[in-house]
């Protein structure tokens, strides 16, 4: 395994994280959208996985498109989990101040 292959998961997760934050900022106060954030993240990650597989095959450790879709989808869900970790850590700090 080359070191360059290790960059695909964090790169996809970072892109999905920021795209979802931009979309959340644009569609504020929409509860229906908030329910679909994990699904949108997984789909966006899967699309980015396929794009990486065809555009830059050296950065994604996938031998076929199906594996690239799974790696991308998991990376997208990682972005959602990261967002929740940051959100929960921030909430704990707010609760301590009261």
């Amino acid at each position: 395994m080359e070191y360059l292959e290790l960059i695909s998961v964090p790169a996809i997760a970072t892109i999905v994280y920021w795209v979802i934050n931009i979309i959340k900022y644009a569609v504020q106060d929409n509860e229906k959208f908030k329910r679909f954030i994990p699904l949108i993240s997984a789909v966006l990650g899967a699309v980015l996985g396929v794009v990486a597989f065809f555009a830059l095959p050296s950065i994604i450790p996938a031998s076929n498109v199906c594996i690239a879709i799974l790696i991308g989808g998991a990376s997208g869900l990682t972005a959602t989990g990261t967002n929740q970790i940051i959100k929960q850590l921030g909430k704990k700090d707010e609760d301590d101040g009261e």
Side-chain angles (χ1 to χ4, degrees):
M1 175 186 283
E2 294 181 29
Y3 291 111
L4 195 56
E5 290 179 346
L6 298 175
I7 199 166
S8 63
V9 173
I12 292 172
T14 303
I15 292 168
V16 170
Y17 178 83
W18 288 110
V19 168
I20 291 297
N21 279 337
I22 290 169
I23 294 172
K24 279 197 298 190
Y25 182 76
V27 213
Q28 293 175 358
D29 301 330
N30 189 342
E31 291 301 320
K32 282 190 178 183
F33 172 75
K34 289 181 182 179
R35 289 188 205 166
F36 292 107
I37 288 175
L39 179 64
I40 295 169
S41 296
V43 170
L44 183 60
V47 168
L48 289 173
V50 171
V51 168
F53 180 75
F54 287 112
L56 301 164
S58 62
I59 70 161
I60 190 159
S63 57
N64 60 37
V65 177
C66 292
I67 295 173
I69 291 171
L70 289 173
I71 291 172
S75 300
L77 291 173
T78 300
T80 304
T82 303
N83 183 18
Q84 288 302 308
I85 289 171
I86 292 169
K87 185 177 176 182
Q88 293 301 321
L89 288 175
K91 184 185 283 187
K92 183 170 176 53
D93 289 342
E94 291 173 4
D95 291 343
D96 290 343
E98 293 179 8

